[in-house]
Each structure stands twice: as C-alpha cells, then as structure tokens.
Amino acid sequence: MPEEGAGARLIAEGDALQREGNIGGALKKYNDALELDPGSLDALYRKGLILSGTGRYEEAVLCFDSILGEEPDYPEVWFQRAVAFFTDRRYPEAAESARRAIRLDPAYTQAWYLLGRALKSEERYEDAREAYERAIVLDPENPAVCYMLGVVYDILERHEEAVAAFRRTIDLDPEDLDARKSLAYTLYTMGRYREAVEICDEALAICPEHTRILFIRGLAVRGMEGETTVPTA
C-alpha cells in the first residue's frame, strides 16, 4: 500500500509521533493524510490500529472495512478487525474475522490463537481446542498458546494433557505464575496433592505473597491430611 507526496510525509510524521508515545498527535497526522486522500489505505490502517488500541472499536472496524472494501486479501487487516471485535467482546464477529485471516494465510499463528480465544469466550471449547492445537503446531515455542491450550484441556477434563501443557508453558516461561497456579490447581483436583504443593512452593519462591497460590497450597496440604474440597481456584 505505497503512498506518495504530502500524504506519505504526514503518515511518516504520524509514525514518528507514535514511536514517541504521542498517540493523539499521530492520529491527527493520519486524519490529515486522509483529508488529502480519503482512500489512503496506509492512513486508514494506522488510524484503525490507534482507534482499536484506545477503545474506539466501532470506528476502528469502519477503518478496516474501508480497506477491505478495496483490498479484501490482506490477512493482517482481517486479523486486526478480529482484535477490535474481540476486545469489544463481540466474539462471533471476532471468530469470523480471524477465520478470514486464516483462509488467506493458513500459517497465521496469531489468528489461530485469537480464534481460539474467541471460541473459548463463546464456551465452544472443543472448537477452541482445535484452534489452539493448530496454533501450537505452527509455533511450538509460544507460551501464551501453550497455556491457553492447557486451560481448554482442563475445562474439557483432559487433565493429563492440561498438566503437560502447563508444564511446557513453564519450561518456555519460568516466570509465568498463571501457568504455575493452573498446574497446581489441576494437580490438586486430580488428587496429586504433594505435586501441587511442590508447584506452589516453586511459585511462591518467585512471588511469596501470591494469594491464589497460597490458597491452592492450603487446599493441597489439607488434601494430604485427608480433608478434600474442590472450590473454584
């Protein structure tokens, strides 16, 4: 989407302002570029990203739709449209836009991941699992994908697979306390109390005041003593 002349200079100035953290100034530059050329796809895309990032989701989608009306084969634009819908909690629209991105680029890991998140938010857990499994095949070193796959496995009561996914997440990102918390709780629900305590202790060595992990540790200790309850972690 090349730009020429004054419009290109305005876009470049907007990009520089964004790098400086001046989002309002950048948005003005992109709007100025669009006054010169209302069909500027580069300016529309950048404006859409800013609007999405500042919570103006419907306006962002309008920008992305304007681009797709002219150039429907840009997977990144479909993906950003999906992001705007997802952040606005419009999960069916997010899933559909993510699918359009995937149709254009089947190896688009982030689109598969976002599709999984949208489907999980709709409580379509088997479909979410399939999306996350596709994402992890494409990017096996991605801890966010690995973690969410573990979450869905756990919801589906595929606990051994959940444990493996959470352990893999921790291998990829040893500081991920959510993965440690989820692993400990899954082990607790499986009756593997000693392992749950060990995972909690490892996590508490990183963050001694983590209240949820302290809570799960207490549950696991009581489980070891023969007193079992399964509240929500």
Side-chain angles (χ1 to χ4, degrees), residues 179-189 195-196 199-200 216:
R180 291 181 183 275
K181 173 176 69 70
S182 296
L183 173 58
Y185 188 71
T186 299
L187 290 167
Y188 166 74
T189 61
E195 290 176 78
I199 295 299
C200 288
I216 294 167

Side-chain angles (χ1 to χ4, degrees), residues 112-113 115-121 123-137 145 148-158 161-162:
W112 281 110
Y113 173 66
L115 176 59
R117 292 191 66 188
L119 293 169
K120 177 183 175 293
S121 297
E123 300 183 357
R124 296 171 56 185
Y125 300 122
E126 282 290 355
D127 292 335
R129 174 191 60 77
E130 291 178 6
Y132 289 135
E133 286 179 346
R134 291 293 296 271
I136 205 66
V137 167
V145 175
M148 289 307 302
L149 181 57
V151 169
V152 170
Y153 279 146
D154 205 35
I155 291 170
L156 294 171
E157 299 185 355
R158 295 170 60 165
E161 290 164 288

Side-chain angles (χ1 to χ4, degrees), residues 1-4 8 11 39-46 67-68 70-71 74 76-77:
M1 294 182 281
E3 300 286 342
E4 297 179 357
I11 290 170
S40 168
L41 302 187
D42 282 337
L44 280 167
Y45 183 69
R46 288 161 168 79
I67 297 170
L68 294 168
E70 296 295 323
E71 299 286 350
Y74 279 105
E76 180 65 21
V77 179

Side-chain angles (χ1 to χ4, degrees), residues 57-227:
Y57 305 116
E58 291 187 6
E59 294 172 81
V61 169
L62 288 175
C63 289
F64 299 138
D65 284 349
S66 294
I67 297 170
L68 294 168
E70 296 295 323
E71 299 286 350
D73 294 335
Y74 279 105
E76 180 65 21
V77 179
W78 283 109
F79 174 73
Q80 292 299 338
R81 187 176 189 266
V83 169
F85 278 132
F86 180 82
T87 313
D88 200 25
R89 300 184 180 183
R90 295 170 61 179
Y91 303 124
E93 294 99 324
E96 179 55 31
S97 289
R99 286 192 181 96
R100 292 293 296 268
I102 290 164
R103 201 171 302 152
L104 293 165
D105 181 3
Y108 201 154
T109 303
Q110 286 302 104
W112 281 110
Y113 173 66
L114 187 60
L115 176 59
R117 292 191 66 188
L119 293 169
K120 177 183 175 293
S121 297
E122 292 186 82
E123 300 183 357
R124 296 171 56 185
Y125 300 122
E126 282 290 355
D127 292 335
R129 174 191 60 77
E130 291 178 6
Y132 289 135
E133 286 179 346
R134 291 293 296 271
I136 205 66
V137 167
L138 292 166
D139 187 3
E141 304 297 309
N142 189 316
V145 175
C146 198
Y147 174 70
M148 289 307 302
L149 181 57
V151 169
V152 170
Y153 279 146
D154 205 35
I155 291 170
L156 294 171
E157 299 185 355
R158 295 170 60 165
H159 299 307
E160 291 290 353
E161 290 164 288
V163 166
F166 293 141
R167 289 193 187 280
R168 176 60 177 157
T169 304
I170 294 165
D171 288 342
L172 294 169
D173 182 4
E175 302 298 312
D176 191 330
L177 291 173
D178 284 336
R180 291 181 183 275
K181 173 176 69 70
S182 296
L183 173 58
Y185 188 71
T186 299
L187 290 167
Y188 166 74
T189 61
M190 296 170 73
R192 293 161 62 175
Y193 306 124
R194 190 172 302 279
E195 290 176 78
V197 169
E198 290 171 358
I199 295 299
C200 288
D201 287 344
E202 291 172 5
L204 292 169
I206 300 169
C207 182
E209 304 303 320
H210 196 298
T211 56
R212 300 306 295 172
I213 292 173
L214 286 166
F215 175 67
I216 294 167
R217 189 185 190 282
L219 293 177
V221 168
R222 288 199 295 273
M224 291 169 63
E225 296 170 349
E227 177 188 345

